[in-house]
Amino acid sequence: MKYPTTRLRRNRQASAIREMVQENRLHPSDFIAPIFIMEGENKKEEIASMPGYFRYTLDLLGDEMKELMEVGIQSVLLFVKVPDSKKDNEGTEAVNDKGLMQESVRFIKENYPELYVMTDVAMDPYSSYGHDGIVEDGEIVNDPSVEVLAEMAVSHAKAGADMVAPSDMMDGRIGAMREALDEAGFENTGIMAYSAKYASAFYGPFRDALDSAPGFGDKKTYQMNPANIDEALREVELDINEGADIVMVKPGMPYLDVVRAVKENFNIPVSVYNVSGEYAMIKAAAEKGWLNEEEVMMESLLAFKRAGADLIATYFAKDAARLISGK
Ligand code: PBG
């Protein structure tokens, strides 16, 4: 017999056969678009460390929502930038039913009801210390923070949020939120848990975007050690048992093994957060002409699908969806 009889290159000979045997595909509905909102009027500010990504005032949000929907994006994940004068150690503004987050949710659900609205639930943008919980004697205290987070989730649900997305990494917050939501009559409001969120240096540009960098110390007493994966599975298991509807791994590209492990071990939708630093790296290299931005973007997004992610929160959402949909 002539060697070799098996030639894997046969299935790569032409684009038709390559597409026929393609194992994973991206679709606009895979993406969750993070949105940064700030106070004020008629302002759209580019985030210095995130070229091509903007913070919007509420009055300019509509156009962006329209553009996202035109290219087939179905969901947004909202973050707000809070002025220093409204920050404290108790999350007072976070639970203000008339706060910027709550008003933004109301605006989007009134004007674009088909958009699925997710909200960030964490105290850091509201915290005078830039931490995801209440600080006492230099410590981020768990249980009192969970109470605020649960209240925050209810406040977002009241405004009309479809799903709340706790990104804080306090213990027990998913259960507390589920209970608080159910008690308030929001049994259909979902929870996307940032279950395996690592203490990562890739969040730098995001903290610029929201002016939310920790004022002292770091987030290592609540976010996970990048060295661990068994612990990620324990976090996911707890969150599922406490009532999470979707679990998330964050960051994305350096943690594809974690995405795969979560997908293999649990039967639940898995999302991955392609974070600000990952976006910034690609943008910076592309600006220098060192990488082809479009190709590298699509290749990295596809890698999330291959790793097992069902959903991808990414700053590339609009660009990628536009390419895929051809609009
Ligand atoms: C904070 C939060 C962070 C991100 C989302 N929610 C930063 C942090 O934990 O310090 C990072 C997102 C990104 O980098 O794109 N609760």
Side-chain angles (χ1 to χ4, degrees):
M1 199 165 36
K2 203 170 115 228
Y3 176 84
T5 47
T6 304
R7 291 177 185 269
L8 294 187
R9 286 185 57 190
R10 271 184 218 120
N11 282 350
R12 297 177 201 143
Q13 290 310 300
S15 99
I17 184 67
R18 284 195 294 271
E19 281 196 33
M20 286 156 69
V21 300
Q22 177 160 338
E23 298 173 38
N24 292 285
R25 282 195 166 78
L26 289 162
H27 187 269
S29 64
D30 296 329
F31 304 128
I32 300 168
I35 304 291
F36 297 129
I37 309 159
M38 61 181 169
E39 290 194 347
E41 269 171 41
N42 197 28
K43 270 195 283 182
K44 174 180 174 185
E45 287 172 3
E46 189 169 22
I47 296 142
S49 47
M50 301 178 71
Y53 220 77
F54 299 85
R55 262 187 311 254
Y56 300 88
T57 53
L58 190 45
D59 55 336
L60 296 189
L61 210 51
D63 288 344
E64 180 63 13
M65 298 302 108
K66 250 184 261 160
E67 279 183 33
L68 289 169
M69 291 174 75
E70 269 161 23
V71 294
I73 300 285
Q74 321 230 36
S75 79
V76 288
L77 174 56
L78 309 186
F79 295 93
V80 292
K81 180 172 190 281
V82 179
D84 283 344
S85 59
K86 290 188 180 161
K87 295 186 184 185
D88 60 22
N89 189 30
E90 285 82 45
T92 310
E93 183 61 15
V95 299
N96 176 1
D97 286 339
K98 296 204 163 68
L100 182 58
M101 174 65 90
Q102 290 81 351
E103 294 294 356
S104 304
V105 173
R106 244 174 249 125
F107 169 80
I108 299 173
K109 290 311 291 186
E110 260 165 37
N111 294 284
Y112 309 94
E114 23 347 336
L115 257 185
Y116 194 83
V117 174
M118 301 181 172
T119 57
D120 182 60
V121 177
M123 289 175 69
D124 51 320
Y126 302 94
S127 159
S128 38
Y129 293 106
H131 275 290
D132 294 48
I134 294 172
V135 178
E136 276 172 24
D137 300 326
E139 227 179 87
I140 290 77
V141 290
N142 196 86
D143 299 8
S145 304
V146 168
E147 279 177 36
V148 177
L149 293 164
E151 210 183 313
M152 203 174 163
V154 172
S155 175
H156 294 181
K158 273 197 251 167
D162 296 296
M163 187 170 266
V164 293
S167 65
D168 56 284
M169 288 299 277
M170 297 300 120
D171 284 325
R173 89 277 209 216
I174 303 303
M177 267 177 213
R178 188 66 273 157
E179 202 179 302
L181 287 167
D182 289 355
E183 263 171 29
F186 296 107
E187 58 282 330
N188 286 327
T189 306
I191 303 177
M192 177 168 74
Y194 287 62
S195 301
K197 176 170 175 182
Y198 288 86
S200 171
F202 285 95
Y203 306 149
F206 172 96
R207 293 174 186 171
D208 289 346
L210 294 190
D211 181 28
S212 64
F216 70 89
D218 50 42
K219 298 193 174 184
K220 290 179 185 168
T221 67
Y222 43 108
Q223 299 179 347
M224 281 183 51
N225 181 343
N228 296 354
I229 184 162
D230 285 346
E231 191 186 354
L233 298 179
R234 292 185 75 196
E235 284 283 6
V236 167
E237 188 171 19
L238 282 172
D239 286 355
I240 293 173
N241 290 337
E242 290 176 32
D245 299 286
I246 299 176
V247 294
M248 183 193 271
V249 174
K250 177 182 179 184
M253 280 161 64
Y255 295 86
L256 293 181
D257 56 327
V258 183
V259 175
R260 165 58 45 192
V262 171
K263 195 63 205 174
E264 278 175 3
N265 281 279
F266 302 97
N267 303 312
I268 186 167
V270 177
S271 65
V272 63
Y273 202 135
N274 178 214
V275 303
S276 58
E278 302 172 50
Y279 175 86
M281 286 195 300
I282 291 180
K283 284 283 178 182
E287 268 180 16
K288 281 188 170 272
W290 291 349
L291 287 175
N292 178 313
E293 180 176 335
E294 239 171 46
E295 288 176 6
V296 170
M297 165 181 84
M298 295 311 277
E299 186 177 332
S300 357
L301 295 172
L302 191 59
F304 294 126
K305 293 290 294 264
R306 194 191 61 239
D310 300 289
L311 288 163
I312 308 164
T314 177
Y315 303 100
F316 288 119
K318 189 164 64 176
D319 291 347
R322 191 184 284 126
L323 265 182
I324 296 163
S325 65
K327 283 179 187 149

